[in-house]
Structures are given as structure tokens and as C-alpha cells.
Amino acid sequence: MEAEMVKVSLILALAGLCVPVSPALAGSAQPSDTVRIVLKFVKHSPTDGPVARFDPASCPSCTAVTTPLFNAENARETVIALNVPRRRSLELAFQGPREAVRRVILEGGDLPFRDEAGRVVVQVPPVAADAVTAAEVATHIVEPGMVLRFEHADPARRAGFYATGPFPEVQRRAANVLEFAQREVVRELGLGEQVEREHLGRIQIMGFDTNAPHGHTDAPPHMHMHLRWPGNTGTQIGHYYIGAGGLLTHNQVGVKDIPGRERRFGRGEPFTTVGPNGRGVYTHRITGEGWLELGRAGDVPCLIRPADGAGFQSGATIRCAGHPETHIRVEDDRSRGVVTVATGAVTEIFRYDTDTGALISPAAVTPPGPSVYQDEPTSPTLTRGSAMSTNR
């Protein structure tokens, strides 16, 4: 582990992202007999006030988490954070009317619950590690070597930095477009296939949360595209900040689990993401206008510019050498749970669970029957099968 930390810090120091650090700084936490969980009680209908309050008598070894923003209360849900015994099958009771609760969610899934003597009793499975993401509302779109995390900015859930003041509707719409514009460049240049083929990790494209789930304030408004290294340590996380007009202002980069200085990249300054092999993978550059260049390291980049010349909130135009110009528009209908993405002449529809953001549209083709010849898959997300009956 120490040798790996030295290798990682040296790679990133050479890339100008941080200074070498002592491996002693990278210790791991000691095992604990408790874990932290977050339960989301989805309300049957929008209402003020909590629909559940933890009854400590149901679990004397459980304690409430008081860390700011781990608990939440809004018209859509009551979110409760607890420390519970590790790897124990529990039934936790909560004061509140059963009829007011429509769902109870832990991480990305539902938990069974029932009414018992006027309390909501929730069956909690054995939990081995902290499980705190239930309050997130984001849709994940997975492709070879890449995952796009699309956050749904719901004013009813606003919290943390965004709890008061003007809601960042323009910046969120701009982030929506920039996420899918980067996805299109990744696809056109084959970056996802490259990082998967070379075992460099996975590209993650993200925007920003406006409801501060599990204390993630995610502010000011920004978007990401970073390469998650295997094992995570060494991942360079850029924050491409979005101004009030929907244009990019600067990029602030830090390195996961490597103490050291963050670095700011202003307009006109390129930032190259480095892989765990020590080589550059792709380069971002915010232009003087607040547009975005993105390309394979060392190659001519693609240009992503606002469709109307003002801000990215209304759409984007992508120009890559050797590829036709492409226009991107994105709409998120939160009431119906539908994201519509127009990429040139192609319109994609992504349907999602409005309580969690989980993708409910089909995400993969069901493999054909076992008698059909299939090549060995090149990716865990791709399976190729012959559609020709003569090849059976």
C-alpha cells in the first residue's frame, strides 16, 4: 500500500497536480462495530412536518446521527440518519402514521415496512459499511468505460448552499447540457472504450446536487468529467464551475485521498487528466468565452459551444475534426420522470423513478437463447449476439 501511494503521488506530482506526500498520511480507518445508514421515508402526499421519528426503544444500540445535512425534511420526504450495529438484521420503529409513508428507501432500494401499534416498523438488512446515499436523486446512464450521473434539481428538496436565495435553474440546465455534450465527445472519440481496454478505470460525468444529500453541499454550481482510477486513490476530480449566465468560469482540481494543494485552472488553461499508467488520457480547456474544449491528450480537441452563443442552458453545438457538427438539447421533466436528449436527429428518452432518480428505461438488450452463437463480450456492458438464424 505504501509503495502504491508513493507511485500515485509521484505520477500526480509530475503532472503538476500535487506534491509528493508521505505514505503515512494515507492510513485507513479502524474497523467499527457500527455503521451509518440513511433512511428516506417518502411521503404519500406533499406535506409539511416529518412523517417518521426514530423510536430508540426499538434499538437501544442505535444512535441518531447529528452531522449537519445528513437528516432532511421537505415536502416530499423525511430523511433520517442513524448509527446502527454492523452486520445485524434489525427491525427499527419510527413514530408516525403508516398511511403517511409511501416508501422507505435505503441506498438505491426499497425496504419492507409495516404498521405496528401506531408505529412504522422498518426491516433493515445487515449492513457491512456506511450506506448513506438514499437522499440522492440522480439517474445513472452506463456505457463502456463511462457512467453519466444526471442529478435532478428539485426546488422542493433544496438544502444546504441552495436552501435559500435564487434557485440555480440556469446553471443546472447548463450542467445538464454539458454532461450530455461531454458524453457525446467521449463516444465520438472512443475514450470510454480506451480506458476500459487499457484498464485505466472509468470516466464519470456528473453535475451537481441541490439538496445536499449526506452533507454533500456540491456548491457553487459546477459539472465534472473525471477518470475514476481503480481503487479510487489518485482520481483527479475537476470542478468546472458555471456562472449565472450559463458559461464556464474556471476549473478547480483536487486529487482523491492524496493530501496536497488543489490547483485552479482559469479560462485558457488546459488540464490533462492522467491515468494510473502515468500518461495523459484527455484534456479539458475552458476557452476565453467560457466554452469548453475536450479531446484525447495531445490531439486536436473537440469544441463544445453554446447553441445560441449565450449560455449552455439552451443547448450546445459540438465540433470534432472529422465528424459532422452535432447539436445537443436536454430537457428534464421532473413531474413525469423523463429526460429527453436530442443529439442531432436522434432523440433519446430516459425514464426514471421520481423518488430516487433510478433509471427505469431498459438499459441493455436481453441476451438471446443459449443456442444462438455469441462472440465473447468486449465489455461487461456489451453483449453481441447474431441476429441471423443461419448462424445458429
Side-chain angles (χ1 to χ4, degrees):
M1 178 62 180
E2 290 187 0
E4 182 65 21
M5 289 294 298
V6 170
K7 173 187 172 184
V8 169
S9 60
L10 285 175
I11 288 173
L12 297 175
L14 290 171
L17 294 174
C18 67
V19 294
V21 299
S22 166
L25 295 175
S28 59
Q30 293 297 313
S32 171
D33 59 352
T34 64
V35 292
R36 181 178 294 185
I37 66 170
V38 170
L39 299 174
K40 177 159 71 177
F41 294 78
V42 180
K43 298 179 179 181
H44 202 275
S45 58
T47 183
D48 293 330
V51 293
R53 293 182 177 86
F54 176 57
D55 181 355
S58 66
C59 180
S61 56
C62 299
T63 58
V65 172
T66 58
T67 305
L69 299 176
F70 269 74
N71 300 276
E73 177 59 43
N74 58 59
R76 303 199 189 283
E77 58 222 6
T78 296
V79 178
I80 297 176
L82 299 169
N83 291 313
V84 303
R86 184 170 178 265
R87 288 183 177 166
R88 301 290 185 178
S89 186
L90 305 171
E91 293 202 353
L92 306 181
F94 298 82
Q95 300 291 345
R98 164 66 178 82
E99 62 273 13
V101 178
R102 182 162 52 85
R103 302 172 70 181
V104 180
I105 295 167
L106 174 67
E107 295 289 72
D110 287 78
L111 295 181
F113 63 99
R114 67 181 186 276
D115 176 81
E116 188 174 280
R119 302 181 304 170
V120 177
V121 178
V122 181
Q123 299 174 43
V124 178
V127 181
D130 287 355
V132 299
T133 66
E136 294 184 3
V137 186
T139 301
H140 293 85
I141 299 167
V142 180
E143 300 187 4
M146 174 180 68
V147 58
L148 184 150
R149 179 188 190 271
F150 188 93
E151 304 83 2
H152 304 282
D154 182 0
R157 294 182 169 103
R158 62 189 301 179
F161 181 89
Y162 305 104
T164 58
F167 194 69
E169 188 66 36
V170 168
Q171 296 96 320
R172 186 56 252 185
R173 289 175 63 86
N176 295 350
V177 171
L178 284 162
E179 287 188 64
F180 278 98
Q182 290 182 112
R183 171 208 187 211
E184 193 62 23
V185 172
V186 168
R187 292 174 67 126
E188 290 195 9
L189 300 184
L191 289 171
E193 288 84 355
Q194 176 191 345
V195 303
E196 191 165 274
R197 182 175 62 250
E198 298 178 9
H199 307 289
L200 302 178
R202 173 171 282 183
I203 294 170
Q204 300 201 329
I205 296 173
M206 304 178 180
F208 64 100
D209 293 308
T210 54
N211 62 324
H214 53 87
H216 189 214
T217 53
D218 225 10
H222 57 276
M223 62 86 179
H224 309 264
M225 177 176 148
H226 56 265
L227 177 63
R228 184 78 73 184
W229 281 19
N232 205 8
T233 297
T235 299
Q236 304 119 65
I237 302 178
H239 300 76
Y240 298 84
Y241 288 100
I242 304 169
L247 295 171
L248 295 165
T249 60
H250 67 283
N251 174 22
Q252 192 79 20
V253 181
V255 183
K256 183 69 175 176
D257 292 338
I258 304 290
R261 300 170 303 191
E262 288 192 347
R263 181 171 171 186
R264 185 185 194 275
F265 294 82
R267 287 183 174 182
E269 294 184 276
F271 164 58
T272 297
T273 292
V274 178
N277 58 5
R279 295 195 293 269
V281 182
Y282 52 80
T283 299
H284 284 85
R285 187 179 79 92
I286 301 173
T287 72
E289 301 91 345
W291 305 349
L292 185 65
E293 290 180 347
L294 170 60
R296 184 174 277 109
D299 288 354
V300 176
C302 300
L303 175 65
I304 304 170
R305 70 177 191 272
D308 60 4
F312 284 106
Q313 63 272 19
S314 59
T317 298
I318 303 170
R319 189 173 66 235
C320 299
H323 296 265
E325 193 169 81
T326 304
H327 304 283
I328 300 273
R329 295 190 184 277
V330 181
E331 294 295 333
D332 182 13
D333 186 336
R334 293 187 301 268
S335 63
R336 296 171 55 226
V338 179
V339 175
T340 304
V341 181
T343 306
V346 177
T347 299
E348 294 177 274
I349 304 296
F350 299 95
R351 296 186 181 274
Y352 63 90
D353 182 331
T354 56
D355 295 326
T356 66
L359 184 69
I360 57 177
S361 291
V365 178
T366 302
S371 64
V372 178
Y373 171 77
Q374 298 179 68
D375 294 334
E376 287 295 322
T378 57
S379 159
T381 57
L382 283 178
T383 301
R384 298 198 304 273
S386 171
M388 301 289 290
S389 61
T390 54
N391 287 343
R392 294 189 179 192

